[in-house]
Amino acid sequence: QEPTDFSKGVDDSWHPAGEKEFKEAVGEKKIKFKQWNGLQLYCDDAKLFTALSKALDKAWPEGTKLLSGSPFPKGMHVRIVALKSAESLKAYWEIVKQGAKQLHTAPPPEALYSGLLKAGSTRWNLPPTVLLRPGRVSSSAAPTRAVHDLGVLMASWSCSYSGYGSPEFLAEGFAGMLERRSVKKPAAIVSHEK
């Protein structure tokens, strides 16, 4: 299968277009939504939304400054989604898989979804997505986790046209730098098992 040509930008119309559409797509009544230029946050918990917003208000501009702009193709958004309900997460997982299909890439494996339900977070490069499950990832660790995974995605996309194949030390180092610059008291997180 031919990789998508991102040189002319990305058609992001496969994703629900805003707060109302997102609520309908995942079956939630209360969703908080915030958008930066190239980054979107969806969250079903008001307190967590505030904490994530504060961290991302610092992380996104800092990351784009360090990289001399967004590393993502024109029209592509990074999405950070925090949902408590396994059913809502599953509905959103199907949206991410549809996005991968539209972008002519492999969908995320179901093992990542299972890991999200158990561990509380996961990410996927194409479409660039960070998923959090409040309750499984603590509210004190969630901002660190969101910023960390955003940093990994930014570093990966700055090295590769599809976000895959970047050196792990570079992605993890950039993510750690963003954490230190964006989260007041970063939580100790372990990114990789063992």
Side-chain angles (χ1 to χ4, degrees):
Q1 187 173 1
E2 286 292 314
T4 302
D5 177 10
F6 294 128
S7 64
K8 295 177 183 167
V10 174
D11 176 9
D12 222 11
S13 63
W14 54 269
H15 195 274
E19 189 175 333
K20 182 182 177 199
E21 294 82 359
F22 187 88
K23 286 180 194 178
E24 292 171 4
V26 300
E28 288 288 336
K29 293 180 181 173
K30 294 182 181 180
I31 293 289
K32 297 277 226 175
F33 171 70
K34 186 168 184 176
Q35 181 166 303
W36 297 259
N37 186 20
L39 174 66
Q40 295 178 340
L41 170 64
Y42 297 88
C43 183
D44 65 358
D45 179 276
K47 187 177 177 184
L48 181 58
F49 177 82
T50 300
L52 291 172
S53 291
K54 284 181 182 179
L56 296 170
D57 279 341
K58 294 176 184 173
W60 183 247
E62 185 67 20
T64 56
K65 178 180 145 193
L66 289 166
L67 296 173
S68 299
S70 171
F72 302 97
K74 182 181 176 184
M76 183 177 282
H77 292 88
V78 179
R79 295 192 172 91
I80 299 177
V81 176
L83 300 169
K84 291 179 216 161
S85 157
E87 294 80 21
S88 296
L89 284 168
K90 185 63 175 172
Y92 191 71
W93 189 255
E94 295 304 317
I95 292 169
V96 172
K97 287 170 39 179
Q98 180 63 31
K101 183 178 178 181
Q102 292 288 331
L103 296 167
H104 307 288
T105 189
E110 289 304 313
L112 282 181
Y113 177 72
S114 299
L116 165 65
L117 295 180
K118 290 178 192 169
S121 69
T122 195
R123 70 174 174 267
W124 190 244
N125 284 18
L126 189 56
T129 307
V130 175
L131 293 171
L132 301 170
R133 186 175 188 200
R136 291 291 181 176
V137 63
S138 72
S139 57
S140 61
T144 303
R145 178 85 269 163
V147 168
H148 180 91
D149 284 351
L150 173 63
V152 168
L153 290 171
M154 293 181 85
S156 297
W157 277 86
S158 71
C159 295
S160 163
Y161 79 98
S162 64
Y164 292 101
S166 64
E168 185 176 4
F169 74 88
L170 181 65
E172 292 295 325
F174 186 79
M177 184 170 58
L178 267 191
E179 285 174 37
R180 287 190 309 278
R181 295 180 182 198
S182 308
V183 181
K184 191 172 186 175
K185 292 182 181 177
I189 56 173
V190 177
S191 299
H192 303 286
E193 218 175 311
K194 300 178 184 174

